[in-house]
Amino acid sequence: MDERPLAAAGPGRPIDPEKLDRILDAVLDSFAEGDMHFTIEGVARRADVSKGTIYRHFDNAEALLQAVLTRLHRNMLGNLPEIEECAGGLREQLIILGTQLLDFLTS
């Protein structure tokens, strides 16, 4: 997977944090409605942005999902430890996040 920085500034318009939040929220909304197989098109429609806007920030759906998980992780644990520093791929990060969530809920 391409590890392009999330907020890589390139030529053109500066990154709009509100749009980025709407994109990530749209993925969560899809999950909340039981749609575990979100599409870039569906996320764009929910977030009221173009597919190009999403692809400007994320290379693919996996990178988008990873950004959602990172944001949730930061909200739950206050940035410590960073999920990006975890060894392994998305599967391992999901296992770590699930374990931390379970620990949090049972504490």
Side-chain angles (χ1 to χ4, degrees):
M1 178 174 85
D2 184 8
E3 292 296 326
R4 177 175 59 179
L6 173 64
R13 259 186 262 177
I15 293 170
D16 183 349
E18 181 187 330
K19 282 185 183 179
L20 191 56
D21 283 339
R22 287 195 334 245
I23 291 167
L24 299 178
D25 288 342
V27 174
L28 290 174
D29 290 346
S30 294
F31 290 159
E33 292 177 6
D35 181 11
M36 296 302 176
H37 303 287
F38 69 90
T39 63
I40 297 295
E41 293 82 10
V43 171
R45 195 171 35 257
R46 282 178 183 271
D48 195 28
V49 299
S50 70
K51 288 188 332 183
T53 298
I54 294 175
Y55 283 117
R56 179 170 179 233
H57 296 289
F58 308 101
D59 289 334
N60 52 39
E62 184 177 331
L64 177 54
L65 178 57
Q66 187 163 359
V68 170
L69 293 172
T70 299
R71 185 174 77 167
L72 287 172
H73 187 261
R74 285 184 179 141
N75 288 343
M76 282 186 345
L77 300 176
N79 292 326
L80 294 173
E82 291 290 337
I83 197 165
E84 293 91 0
E85 295 174 4
C86 299
L90 182 59
R91 182 177 187 283
E92 288 79 15
Q93 291 176 358
L94 285 169
I95 290 169
I96 291 167
L97 181 63
T99 302
Q100 290 172 340
L101 178 59
L102 185 60
D103 289 344
F104 172 77
L105 292 173
T106 58
S107 65

